[in-house]
Structures are given as C-alpha cells and as structure tokens.
Amino acid sequence: MANYDYSHIKELDPNDLSMVDGLILEFAKWVRTKGYGLDVREGIARFGERIGVILNEYSAEVNLTKNQMETLSNELNQTISGLTQDSEVKNARMSLDGIIFTTLKERLDNLEENAGTVGNVVGSVDLDGSSLFIEGLDSPNSPISIDVEHNVEDDEIPFGIETIDVKNIGIEKVGSD
C-alpha cells in the first residue's frame, strides 16, 4: 500500500509564470480547478501533449541552428584556407632591392608608378647625349647593368636611332650564384 501525503502544498510556486507557454498555464489551471476527474485527467493529458509539441519545436529549432552553424563554419574554413599567410604578405612587402614598404598596396602602387610603359622596348639609358635602347627581353625586371667601355665620337654615330636586338649583345655572368 502506498503512503500518500494528504497535507496541502503551502509553498508558493517559484517559477516565473510569464515565461511559461499560455496553453500549459491553461492546462495547469484545469488540473487545479476542475471538479470532475475526467476533466482533471484531460488537463493532464493536454499538458503532456503540449510539452511534447514544445519539445519538438525546440528540437527543430536546435537542428536548424546547428545546420546553420555548420554551414557558417564550413564557409569560414573555406575563406580562411584561401587566405595568404602573414609571412607571405610580409615577404611581398619587400622589393628585390630590399626596400620594405609599410603595406603591400604601397609596394604595388610604387611598382605601377615606376613601371612606365612596357612594350617592345624594355629600357633605355642616356649615354652622354646618345641613347641605347634594349629590346627583346622577356621581362622589364631582368637584371641588366650597362658598363660603358668606349664612347664613340659624334662623327662615328649614324643618323637616327639605332636599335640593337638583345640576341646580338654579348652576355657575361656578373657576381656569384
């Protein structure tokens, strides 16, 4: 035989009822106030059903949030994996001459400002009033140095501009590996 407690509950309800679903409050009221056992049992049954509905809605919301978080996490990981490393950006700020620029944009702007126009003629140099044009190189950044070994007199220079193809220039290795 079960031991029943026939004393009344005297403690106040500690729950904040403003946070409770309206239908649950209604069903709880039925359980407390209905005089017929059938109505009390119906209130308890609906109370349980409503809790089930709320739990299913909560579960669906949790799953939706979880899927959204996974999607965002995957997108973030893809974005991060496509980014460059800090060391790569820092290295790109330094020019071949060892000049370190504050930002990569500053270096790129400097390159564009100083690049001039790149066409068939890669570079030119003023040699005491005469000009030497070099063409046929693969890149305007090719390391070229010009050592003037002999200046010709004005009467030896033909009229107009003489262009020398790079394949006709002797190349000597300068410096170490």
Side-chain angles (χ1 to χ4, degrees):
M1 181 170 207
N3 293 329
Y4 292 104
D5 179 3
Y6 289 100
S7 65
H8 295 290
I9 300 171
K10 296 179 183 174
E11 293 86 19
L12 294 176
D13 188 353
N15 294 310
D16 180 3
L17 299 181
S18 67
M19 311 249 331
V20 178
D21 180 76
L23 286 176
I24 289 179
L25 289 175
E26 181 69 24
F27 302 149
K29 178 181 168 190
W30 290 357
V31 170
R32 288 187 179 110
T33 61
K34 292 295 182 180
Y36 295 107
L38 175 68
D39 294 330
V40 172
R41 287 191 301 278
E42 183 63 23
I44 293 170
R46 289 187 185 185
F47 179 75
E49 291 167 351
R50 182 64 186 159
I51 289 175
V53 168
I54 290 172
L55 288 176
N56 283 334
E57 289 173 350
Y58 174 76
S59 179
E61 198 64 35
V62 166
N63 287 333
L64 177 65
T65 303
K66 181 181 173 186
N67 290 339
Q68 289 172 338
M69 290 298 293
E70 286 178 9
T71 300
L72 288 173
S73 179
N74 290 338
E75 289 175 3
L76 180 62
N77 287 337
Q78 289 175 353
T79 301
I80 290 172
S81 69
L83 295 178
T84 57
Q85 299 295 322
D86 284 343
S87 59
E88 184 179 0
V89 174
K90 289 177 183 175
N91 286 339
R93 290 181 190 159
M94 184 172 26
S95 70
L96 293 174
D97 301 332
I99 299 169
I100 299 174
F101 294 86
T102 308
T103 63
L104 184 56
K105 181 179 182 338
E106 181 183 345
R107 177 164 184 234
L108 293 173
D109 289 347
N110 180 273
L111 283 172
E112 287 181 8
E113 289 170 2
N114 295 324
T117 57
V118 177
N120 198 19
V121 175
V122 174
S124 65
V125 64
D126 185 27
L127 300 172
D128 296 326
S130 299
S131 295
L132 170 67
F133 293 92
I134 301 173
E135 65 180 351
L137 297 175
D138 291 340
S139 167
N141 296 325
S142 296
I144 296 175
S145 64
I146 299 173
D147 294 325
V148 179
E149 294 188 12
H150 174 70
N151 283 330
V152 292
E153 300 299 322
D154 285 339
D155 58 349
E156 296 176 12
I157 298 176
F159 292 102
I161 297 175
E162 185 173 344
T163 302
I164 303 169
D165 196 337
V166 73
K167 63 185 173 196
N168 297 327
I169 297 176
I171 299 175
E172 293 179 29
K173 188 174 186 177
V174 179
S176 62
D177 289 347

